Amino acid sequence: MPTDAITSSHTPTADGALTLPPQATDAGAENTGQQSTEVVEHDLTFDGFRYTCRIARRGPLDTQPVVILGGSSQDRNSWQRHEKWLTPLSSVITVDLPGYGTADFLPAKYGVDFLAAAVRHVVRELGIPRINLVAACYGGAIGVRFAQHYPHLLERMMLVGMTTVIPADYAVAMERWDGMIRRGETEPIARELADRFMSPPGTGHVRKKAAVARLVYQQIASQSPEQLRMSAEHNSRLMRHEWYRPEPTPDIPGLVVTGEHDTLTTPAMGRTMAACLPTARFMTIGETDHLAPVERIADFADLMARFCTDRPLENLPYASEPEVFGTSRPA
């Protein structure tokens, strides 16, 4: 099935409980050719820190709102290109949590527990009973903690490039990068991070590898002084707080996804993560590495849409067959 022609056999169910913020900072409509997408942004405050959420929605809805938590170098606008596949099925909510994007600076003493509580604050402020959660890389650590602490708010959870441990060599490199950031050495750290996120030569074919590597480099190298300050504090946060805590997680549909050639959060690490969830499947995205959502945008969006509407994940041309983990087995 073409990935740009997603349909659903479900009877539409409105997420009428979703309260669009009354005092939006930005509102508009994106022309989709059939029906416009309403986009609303709203500033919120949690425990004294201002942050921003973005809501995109249109048409009758087939599933609970999808909340996307991106990686540390992503912001609430990083997933806009995925929305055209998702908004026909669900509202899409992205967030600049405290300490990231355009939100307030967040001192490193605030860790993953605080950020998970901030996600709960978003859900409560918008009046959503339950959400579908898609959480990638650093967002995955926040997503798992959210699932552990607020299981009643979750319908499904998809983790992307998530592991139970930060790779040891990455942890060592973070300490060096922290010093480089604080000294303003943006060019060399941009090159190092671009190389770290991409798979090394000879690993396997990765789509759009050169273009994505340039994009990663440019995003890091062009950071403002405030963004650099936030990046340095993010590294400190990673080193000071638990990445993954083996607490109980809810028995809900789960999916763990890793790029086929991901050398940062490898498929083996993804399988270990999936085995920690009561009900989970594991898949790899073909011809991608750690940046699979960017390297195969349409295909990745199709996988998100399928998972969030309980459609089959078998026999997809862009992904491996699902491997089932956990004590509870998906139907």
Side-chain angles (χ1 to χ4, degrees):
M1 182 193 79
T3 57
D4 58 352
I6 294 176
T7 59
S8 173
S9 60
H10 292 295
T11 301
T13 57
D15 58 351
L18 175 60
T19 304
L20 287 177
Q23 57 262 52
T25 58
D26 180 38
E30 297 175 2
N31 188 359
T32 63
Q34 293 183 342
Q35 188 172 11
S36 62
T37 299
E38 181 184 12
V39 177
V40 179
E41 290 195 348
H42 187 50
D43 283 341
L44 301 170
T45 301
F46 176 64
D47 203 19
F49 295 96
R50 181 197 56 80
Y51 68 97
T52 303
C53 71
R54 180 182 191 276
I55 307 168
R57 65 182 299 177
R58 67 180 161 107
L61 306 172
D62 285 2
T63 187
Q64 292 78 11
V66 177
V67 174
I68 302 177
L69 304 178
S72 58
S73 61
Q74 295 178 322
D75 60 26
R76 67 185 184 278
N77 297 309
S78 298
W79 297 81
Q80 288 188 41
R81 295 182 66 187
H82 300 80
E83 288 175 357
K84 70 177 181 179
W85 287 275
L86 296 172
T87 52
L89 310 172
S90 169
S91 299
V92 178
I93 301 167
T94 51
V95 191
D96 281 354
L97 291 172
Y100 302 90
T102 60
D104 283 349
F105 179 84
L106 184 70
K109 68 179 183 179
Y110 294 92
V112 176
D113 293 87
F114 177 86
L115 293 168
V119 176
R120 178 194 57 176
H121 185 256
V122 177
V123 175
R124 285 184 170 178
E125 287 293 301
L126 298 181
I128 308 171
R130 293 170 74 85
I131 64 170
N132 294 308
L133 183 62
V134 177
C137 194
Y138 185 69
I142 301 169
V144 171
R145 199 68 53 84
F146 176 86
Q148 292 169 335
H149 291 189
Y150 316 108
H152 60 287
L153 297 176
L154 266 183
E155 188 72 20
R156 303 172 186 84
M157 180 171 66
M158 178 176 173
L159 301 174
V160 186
M162 174 59 182
T163 75
T164 57
V165 296
I166 297 176
D169 60 335
Y170 191 84
V172 171
M174 274 197 303
E175 295 190 23
R176 185 178 71 257
W177 295 335
D178 184 63
M180 293 167 70
I181 291 173
R182 296 183 189 279
R183 292 190 299 271
E185 299 173 6
T186 55
E187 195 277 337
I189 194 173
R191 293 201 179 280
E192 279 200 44
L193 283 170
D195 290 343
R196 175 70 63 160
F197 288 140
M198 311 300 295
S199 62
T203 305
H205 176 65
V206 172
R207 296 194 179 194
K208 302 179 180 177
K209 183 173 183 177
V212 172
R214 286 195 300 271
L215 176 64
V216 172
Y217 170 81
Q218 290 166 1
Q219 285 181 336
I220 298 170
S222 63
Q223 285 184 326
S224 68
E226 180 62 16
Q227 288 172 325
L228 288 171
R229 179 173 174 245
M230 284 188 168
S231 294
E233 203 70 7
H234 167 72
N235 283 349
S236 296
R237 194 178 344 271
L238 280 174
M239 290 184 281
R240 289 177 58 176
H241 299 276
E242 290 176 291
W243 169 261
Y244 169 77
R245 187 183 300 151
E247 296 177 349
T249 54
D251 191 354
I252 57 172
L255 177 63
V256 180
V257 179
T258 305
E260 177 186 16
H261 303 302
D262 190 341
T263 53
L264 178 58
T265 56
T266 65
M269 293 175 179
R271 291 184 176 93
T272 299
M273 182 71 250
C276 294
L277 304 177
T279 304
R281 286 170 286 181
F282 172 80
M283 302 174 72
T284 59
I285 307 294
E287 300 181 340
T288 65
D289 51 28
H290 189 66
L291 301 176
V294 182
E295 292 157 350
R296 300 190 72 155
I297 291 174
D299 296 326
F300 192 84
D302 179 68
L303 184 61
M304 286 195 289
R306 286 176 173 274
F307 174 68
C308 291
T309 53
D310 296 326
R311 283 179 284 155
L313 303 182
E314 291 77 19
N315 302 314
L316 300 180
Y318 54 80
S320 65
E321 290 301 296
E323 303 170 35
V324 179
F325 289 84
T327 54
S328 300
R329 294 291 190 256

